[in-house]
Amino acid sequence: MTNDTGAVPMNPLVREPVVLASASATRRQLLAEAGLCVIVDGAAIDEEEIKAAFRAEGAAASVCAEALAEAKAMRVSSRRPGMLVIGADQILDCDGDWFDKPRDPGAARTQLMALRGRRHGLLTAAAVAKNGALIWHASDRASLTMRRFSDAFLETYLEASGEDILSSVGAYRLEGLGAQLFERVEGDFFTILGLPLLPLLDFLRSHGVLAT
């Protein structure tokens, strides 16, 4: 449930609200389920332009994810004085190829066929800004190996999953049917979902947002 300001109501363990500079429903849910009072204020940045620039420089996907998270936090912080603003981003890297959210089921099919039987990394970053200054950032990596599923399974999976998978850089939701795509998963579950949640919570405790 949300109130009229778009924030999840406060609970006794939370002392002040935070702003999420992202329209990601999954990230908002992670923060809300951890008890935070979340105000969503999506950042309007040109992610494709930033990614293209980092690719041209030969930068690592983790560096680009950090830059995107920081850019989001900084953009929204300028219009949210006095508040802690959280930016986050995630990039899927498979042997140097970066994958974005698929634009349609056909693109999801192509992406999953490219990842089938291979290991890829999810590079997840978060940043916090206040009053236009970056005050914290963290990043983490998870490694996932897809099994060699059949073409028939892939078609059934796409039909059963619907458009939900279009909101994920990997065309899967590990917390749902996407679990059936994998033979091995290494890394923090929250990182896979798109947020280095535990380090973020630790930071928020240190800044008085959460009870200690």
Side-chain angles (χ1 to χ4, degrees):
M1 298 291 292
T2 61
N3 59 31
D4 291 340
T5 67
V8 174
M10 301 274 276
N11 73 43
L13 299 178
V14 180
R15 293 169 178 164
E16 64 181 79
V18 296
V19 178
L20 177 61
S22 169
S24 168
T26 299
R27 291 191 182 102
R28 181 186 185 188
Q29 183 177 358
L30 285 174
L31 293 171
E33 290 182 347
L36 288 161
C37 177
V38 183
I39 298 170
V40 176
D41 188 353
I45 64 170
D46 192 335
E47 295 189 32
E48 291 309 310
E49 181 179 350
I50 294 173
K51 287 179 181 178
F54 276 86
R55 285 192 183 104
E57 295 173 2
S62 58
V63 175
C64 184
E66 290 173 5
L68 287 164
E70 293 171 3
K72 292 175 183 178
M74 292 290 286
R75 174 63 61 86
V76 174
S77 178
S78 65
R79 59 178 181 255
R80 292 285 183 172
M83 301 193 73
L84 292 177
V85 179
I86 301 167
D89 201 80
Q90 183 181 70
I91 294 177
L92 189 158
D93 181 8
C94 184
D95 296 331
D97 292 328
W98 299 1
F99 288 73
D100 296 317
K101 295 175 183 177
R103 62 185 179 277
D104 54 43
R109 179 184 293 104
T110 299
Q111 184 166 309
L112 290 169
M113 290 178 68
L115 296 173
R116 178 168 55 183
R118 300 172 68 189
R119 189 172 185 237
H120 66 263
L122 288 176
L123 297 310
T124 302
V128 178
K130 184 176 182 179
N131 294 326
L134 184 69
I135 60 174
W136 179 86
H137 67 91
S139 60
D140 194 20
R141 177 188 177 100
S143 296
L144 302 88
T145 304
M146 279 195 181
R147 66 183 183 87
R148 294 187 178 279
F149 46 80
S150 66
D151 290 346
F153 173 87
L154 175 57
E155 295 305 319
T156 301
Y157 165 78
L158 290 169
E159 182 177 355
S161 298
E163 294 191 356
D164 282 349
I165 58 174
L166 303 184
S167 63
S168 165
V169 294
Y172 57 77
R173 294 174 64 86
L174 194 67
E175 68 273 32
L177 293 177
Q180 296 193 38
L181 296 168
F182 293 93
E183 63 180 44
R184 186 174 180 82
V185 174
E186 304 164 86
D188 183 82
F189 187 64
F190 298 122
T191 291
I192 294 169
L193 296 187
L195 198 64
L197 182 63
L198 299 184
L200 176 59
L201 294 178
D202 189 52
F203 166 80
L204 294 175
R205 278 191 292 271
S206 73
H207 274 65
V209 175
L210 298 175
T212 59

